[in-house]
Amino acid sequence: MRTWWLLLAGLLAAPLPAAEPNADAGQMAYAAGDFVGAVEKWQAAILAQGATAGRLAALGNAEWKLGRKGRAMLCWERALLLDPRDPVATAGIRHAQSAGGIDRPALTWAENYASFLGADTWLVLATASFWLVVLCLLLPRLRRRAPTEWQEKAVVAGATIFLLSLPGLWGAHVYARRAVVRQADIFLRLTPTARGEPVSGVAEGDIVRTERPFNGYVRVTTADGKSGWLQAREVEPLWGGGLPANLDQKPAP
Amino acid sequence: MPRACLHLLACLLALTFARAEDSVSWEMTPPVAGPGQPFRLQVRIESDVILGPADRVGRELKPPRGMALRFSGQLFRANTTEATLNFSGVAPEEEGAHVIPSFNIRFPARLIKIPAITVNVSAATGFRRDGQARAELVMPTRTYYVGERIPGAILLKGSEQEMVNGSFGVECEAEGFTFQQTGARNEDLPNGQGLQTGFELTPIRTGSSEITINGIMLVNTGGLGGFATQGRDRPFTFRRRVTVEHVPETGRPAEWTGAIGRFLAESVSVSNTKPEVGEPIRLRAILAGEGNLDRILPPELASNETWDVVPGNDRRFRRTEDQRSFTYTLVPRLPGKHLTPAIRFAVFDPETRTFQRLEFAAQEVTVTGNAPAKVELVSLDPGAAVGTGKPAAGLATPDPTHHGLLDRGVQAVAPLAASRPFWATNAVLASLGLTLFAAAAWTAYLLAHPEILLRARARRTLQACRREATAARDEIGFANACVRGMRAGCAPWLDAEPAALTQSDIRRVLPQADAGLLDRVFRRADGDKFGSPATSALRAEAPALLGLLAELEARL
């Protein structure tokens, strides 16, 4: 049994060999200092083949090199949603916090716990363990027999996994309510109005915790605990997109 | 002591007599009659005894001079303590108050005294006995103002000879006005001799112009006789020259936002009287009255150091309510007790040509929370280049082909929890589990109570035997079906196989059954097996046997 668990963990954690034998075109452009070219190629790859943690993290690096901190942070954060242990995204965020002056709220204990696995993995674990428990409880009653030993063990194991996954689900839920500030030189407002009094400045790329929306604004809390209102278009949530939104493009009527 | 008892008895008697007092009310239609106008008088009596039919009502009735009055009938309901009597009459030609003297009405159980009734006659009711039906235009005669709502009406007045039944095709030809009909198209006039149609006019530019309103009314000639009426259309046209001006600028307050009419500040309320700093609350004011409610611009509320104001949606209530609400969203900036901003209106009264001020009172609100300790003044430099504030360095060349087993590439980074198929699958699994659990529980219950299945099976067999017995044409078939049914119906009670039951077993279950009858039917059915064939006829006893089967089925 232990061998099976180790094999599964190895499959999940071990990086796969490169699917393409040739070096990635974006990677070559990045190495040559052509960050615009790298961004274009990685964006095209994401649009064509889907977003992976590696692609998003690499795109974040290129965006950071171009000085687009909001897009870079969004790419890295989304990469961490897909793979909470992606080394490129982790290094990029650490670099942004130390050298780039980006503010990011400290993780709570639940978020730390949840970062051990991805949000989807927690949900799959919780669901699978729940149904395992239900099945093992229901099966003996359907067969009108006493539960066997392995069924009892499965119930205990399933219930344990289910209980252990609850903090992970909560942490993932709290973590998902973050957003990245996408515009430079904006400030928190005291009230959600155009004449709202500025409370504190926020920089592009800062991570904020979002609360309720109102009147085209959203109430946020910054890394240093200040609360206020930002316009909804000034922030972009972590969940819900592949590539960062293009703020220069006007929305369709 | 005897004295006290007498007092108590006297009080009880007084109460009894007070309770026994009869109640008499009356109603006249129309309330005020025109000279010579027919009217109807209805007298209602409530008593504490059953009244029954009235007798010789008209005998004591003595109407005043010039008035015709007669008893036209009683609404009679048996065994009730109420009575309703109808009288019809014609009002005198002379105006004034005419008194019908008090008179008595005799019922089998009691004599009821009707008090004197006054009939008011006035020529101002508009009742006309003779004359053609005609239309009248009712509109205020004055200078109108751009944007105001001018109520008007067309009165279609008939007479006893020509009744107005309806109108159609009412339209207005007027440049610089909008025209709209209001309310029901044909409302009855108070005297019942015609109809009225309401409308609204709104001037949209200044100047002098002519208003033309025309339409067609439906007139019935030949009086009220049911078979002699003849209908015909009769057109009408009104022309009126009117002058329209702007609301005067002299004395016009700054807060006037187009309100013309007569209004009052109905109510003002806040959605939350204890908000936190930064928490939006709703301030709602309701304006009521007659005037151009649709055209009023919501008064502006300016933000101040205490409140940040967001203009909200306002709406008009139903047209008949003559109300309009104005809603604002207020966001408190500072903690403490504050008053909401007052909403000030100015209204122009076109009748008096003066402006009036209205004010919705400020509401007290207690704001909780903390004020911002320090407000950072953010200085914006539009000329600064994007991204030049902080250096961008580091970050080695990444390897985008690195990914885990489950990281296969997605179009959008969306959580599994937002996936509809995921939850649909779980719902299906839950439904399946519940169904299986319910089926298992029901099966276990049946196993624990086997008599349920035995009885159900016996009931089905018994029903089949009853049908077979009813349809049987020969006596042997009938007897066999009855015996088989009785055995099947009794088996669950005796916990035995049906074929093993004998006549005496049946009697244990049905002790009240006729032993002779059972003997005859069993002999008829099974007699051949035991060499004792029956000869008696069973057809006459078929109802009794079928009754036994029915009783057995009911017991199952």
Side-chain angles (χ1 to χ4, degrees):
Chain A
M1 192 66 170
R2 187 179 172 189
T3 313
W4 284 104
W5 280 113
L6 286 175
L7 186 61
L8 181 63
L11 281 173
L12 289 173
L16 290 182
E20 301 159 8
N22 299 328
D24 185 85
Q27 197 176 354
M28 291 166 60
Y30 188 93
D34 179 13
F35 302 120
V36 175
V39 166
E40 288 176 351
K41 288 179 174 57
W42 280 327
Q43 281 186 346
I46 288 173
L47 289 174
Q49 303 166 27
T52 63
R55 289 188 191 117
L56 281 171
L59 180 62
N61 279 16
E63 295 278 12
W64 181 266
K65 288 287 189 182
L66 291 173
R68 302 193 288 214
K69 297 180 178 177
R71 295 175 66 91
M73 284 299 293
L74 198 58
C75 289
W76 287 329
E77 290 284 355
R78 283 181 178 166
L80 287 185
L81 289 178
L82 293 176
D83 180 4
R85 294 198 186 117
D86 187 273
V88 178
T90 309
I93 289 175
R94 197 170 296 148
H95 172 77
Q97 285 182 278
S98 58
I102 295 295
D103 289 330
R104 187 171 184 251
L107 298 181
T108 62
W109 71 268
E111 288 171 334
N112 261 321
Y113 185 89
S115 64
F116 182 70
L117 296 171
D120 292 352
T121 313
W122 283 118
L123 187 58
V124 169
L125 268 181
T127 312
S129 58
F130 173 78
W131 285 117
L132 177 68
V133 170
V134 170
L135 187 67
C136 289
L137 290 175
L138 195 60
L139 209 56
R141 282 164 177 74
L142 290 176
R143 299 174 65 191
R144 294 189 204 97
R145 293 180 186 171
T148 60
E149 187 181 348
W150 72 265
Q151 282 172 339
E152 289 175 343
K153 284 180 180 174
V155 168
V156 172
T160 307
I161 294 172
F162 182 73
L163 290 175
L164 288 175
S165 63
L166 290 180
L169 287 173
W170 173 249
H173 170 70
V174 175
Y175 191 87
R177 290 166 64 185
R178 294 175 163 213
V180 178
V181 176
R182 287 296 315 276
Q183 293 191 346
D185 300 325
I186 58 172
F187 45 84
L188 284 184
R189 295 173 178 83
L190 180 64
T191 57
T193 57
R195 297 174 185 171
E197 192 174 354
V199 176
S200 171
V202 287
E204 182 188 3
D206 283 353
I207 309 291
V208 291
R209 294 182 188 277
T210 59
E211 296 169 30
R212 61 205 158 125
F214 176 75
N215 195 31
Y217 289 77
V218 60
R219 189 169 176 83
V220 301
T221 304
T222 60
D224 52 358
K226 290 179 180 173
S227 292
W229 298 85
L230 287 177
Q231 290 191 45
R233 58 183 169 81
E234 292 172 344
V235 294
E236 186 169 353
L238 301 188
W239 284 110
L243 293 171
N246 187 359
L247 297 185
D248 298 330
Q249 187 179 359
K250 292 183 178 177
Chain B
M1 187 67 180
R3 193 178 183 83
C5 288
L6 282 175
H7 281 168
L8 183 62
L9 186 63
C11 289
L12 288 174
L13 281 173
L15 286 173
T16 306
F17 282 121
R19 186 172 156 272
E21 191 172 321
D22 301 313
S23 164
V24 177
S25 62
W26 53 273
E27 183 185 11
M28 207 182 101
T29 308
V32 178
Q37 181 177 6
F39 65 88
R40 192 184 63 165
L41 177 67
Q42 190 172 66
V43 177
R44 283 187 289 273
I45 303 165
E46 292 180 23
S47 180
D48 58 337
V49 297
I50 294 175
L51 290 173
D55 185 27
R56 291 172 291 177
V57 178
R59 281 201 174 183
E60 295 188 25
L61 198 59
K62 292 176 180 172
R65 182 181 296 276
M67 179 189 291
L69 186 66
R70 65 180 176 83
F71 175 63
S72 54
Q74 178 183 358
L75 295 177
F76 176 72
R77 288 187 294 274
N79 299 325
T80 62
T81 58
E82 297 175 1
T84 303
L85 294 95
N86 289 327
F87 299 85
S88 55
V90 179
E93 294 293 337
E94 188 181 347
E95 290 187 65
H98 300 268
V99 179
I100 302 171
S102 171
F103 58 98
N104 295 322
I105 297 179
R106 298 172 191 281
F107 290 96
R110 182 168 289 177
L111 181 71
I112 305 288
K113 183 178 183 182
I114 307 298
I117 297 171
T118 303
V119 177
N120 293 311
V121 179
S122 170
T125 59
F127 170 76
R128 295 189 303 152
R129 188 181 304 160
D130 304 318
Q132 290 187 330
R134 66 170 187 264
E136 292 179 8
L137 176 64
V138 179
M139 270 177 65
T141 308
R142 56 173 170 79
T143 301
Y144 300 141
Y145 296 92
V146 173
E148 78 163 302
R149 187 168 68 96
I150 306 163
I154 299 168
L155 308 182
L156 307 173
K157 293 184 174 178
S159 67
E160 287 292 292
Q161 294 176 337
E162 288 195 347
M163 296 297 293
V164 178
N165 288 338
S167 69
F168 64 91
V170 176
E171 57 185 15
C172 174
E173 296 173 10
E175 290 188 0
F177 284 85
T178 61
F179 175 82
Q180 187 178 14
Q181 289 194 37
T182 58
R185 196 171 67 177
N186 292 317
E187 292 176 359
D188 287 330
L189 287 176
N191 63 8
Q193 272 197 319
L195 305 168
Q196 64 177 352
T197 300
F199 63 85
E200 282 178 9
L201 279 174
T202 302
I204 55 177
R205 62 169 174 258
T206 59
S208 178
S209 59
E210 189 176 71
I211 297 174
T212 303
I213 300 175
N214 47 44
I216 298 170
M217 59 181 170
L218 303 173
V219 178
N220 263 352
T221 58
L224 293 171
F227 300 101
T229 54
Q230 294 176 347
R232 67 181 186 188
D233 302 341
R234 186 172 297 168
F236 58 85
T237 300
F238 302 104
R239 289 189 180 83
R240 184 169 293 186
R241 180 157 289 279
V242 296
T243 305
V244 180
E245 295 177 355
H246 280 299
V247 171
E249 294 185 4
T250 309
R252 185 191 295 178
E255 60 265 27
W256 184 75
T257 56
I260 305 174
R262 291 181 174 177
F263 302 109
L264 58 93
E266 178 84 8
S267 66
V268 59
S269 61
V270 290
S271 60
N272 183 4
T273 55
K274 293 180 180 176
E276 292 181 11
V277 171
E279 181 185 354
I281 62 172
R282 198 172 59 247
L283 174 68
R284 187 182 185 211
I286 296 178
L287 183 72
E290 294 179 358
N292 57 347
L293 285 166
D294 288 335
R295 290 175 171 264
I296 301 174
L297 296 175
E300 286 190 6
L301 288 189
S303 299
N304 54 33
E305 60 180 7
T306 310
W307 299 100
D308 210 346
V309 181
V310 186
N313 299 323
D314 64 280
R315 70 183 185 93
R316 171 82 188 266
F317 290 80
R318 290 195 301 274
R319 198 171 191 86
T320 53
E321 291 180 3
D322 287 331
Q323 284 187 339
R324 181 170 167 182
S325 73
F326 301 101
T327 308
Y328 303 86
T329 302
L330 306 180
V331 187
R333 294 169 179 266
L334 298 170
K337 281 193 174 182
H338 303 301
L339 290 175
T340 60
I343 305 172
R344 294 190 176 87
F345 264 106
V347 179
F348 179 71
D349 187 344
E351 299 291 340
T352 61
R353 301 186 181 189
T354 57
F355 287 96
Q356 295 169 349
R357 293 175 190 272
L358 288 178
E359 180 172 324
F360 290 95
Q363 303 292 302
E364 187 176 279
V365 174
T366 304
V367 182
T368 58
N370 299 315
K374 179 187 173 187
V375 175
E376 294 178 12
L377 294 177
V378 180
S379 59
L380 303 181
D381 181 8
V386 174
T388 57
K390 295 167 185 172
L395 301 178
T397 305
D399 178 12
T401 57
H402 164 94
H403 57 81
L405 178 66
L406 301 178
D407 188 11
R408 286 297 180 192
V410 292
Q411 288 304 317
V413 185
L416 183 61
S419 162
R420 197 170 286 178
F422 173 78
W423 293 112
T425 307
N426 278 282
V428 169
L429 283 175
S431 307
L432 189 64
L434 283 174
T435 309
L436 283 175
F437 185 76
W442 176 241
T443 309
Y445 181 79
L446 287 182
L447 286 176
H449 301 82
E451 69 275 9
I452 295 176
L453 287 176
L454 286 175
R455 287 184 190 180
R457 202 174 299 133
R459 193 182 307 118
R460 284 197 298 274
T461 308
L462 187 54
Q463 285 168 347
C465 290
R466 278 186 68 192
R467 284 195 296 273
E468 192 180 333
T470 309
R473 297 192 175 181
D474 57 338
E475 289 207 349
I476 185 69
F478 176 76
N480 279 332
C482 288
V483 168
R484 212 166 51 247
M486 281 189 277
R487 281 174 169 155
C490 293
W493 301 106
L494 301 174
D495 196 15
E497 283 297 319
L501 296 184
T502 62
Q503 178 185 348
S504 58
D505 295 327
I506 303 299
R507 288 200 62 196
R508 282 168 58 197
V509 178
L510 295 171
Q512 76 283 6
D514 183 4
L517 179 64
L518 288 178
D519 183 54
R520 285 191 291 279
V521 71
F522 268 82
R523 187 181 290 260
R524 188 71 176 176
D526 295 341
D528 290 340
K529 296 178 188 173
F530 306 106
S532 174
T535 54
S536 59
L538 282 176
R539 275 295 172 192
E541 293 169 325
L545 286 167
L546 291 174
L548 284 178
L549 293 180
E551 185 184 345
L552 275 175
E553 186 182 342
R555 289 178 62 175
L556 288 173

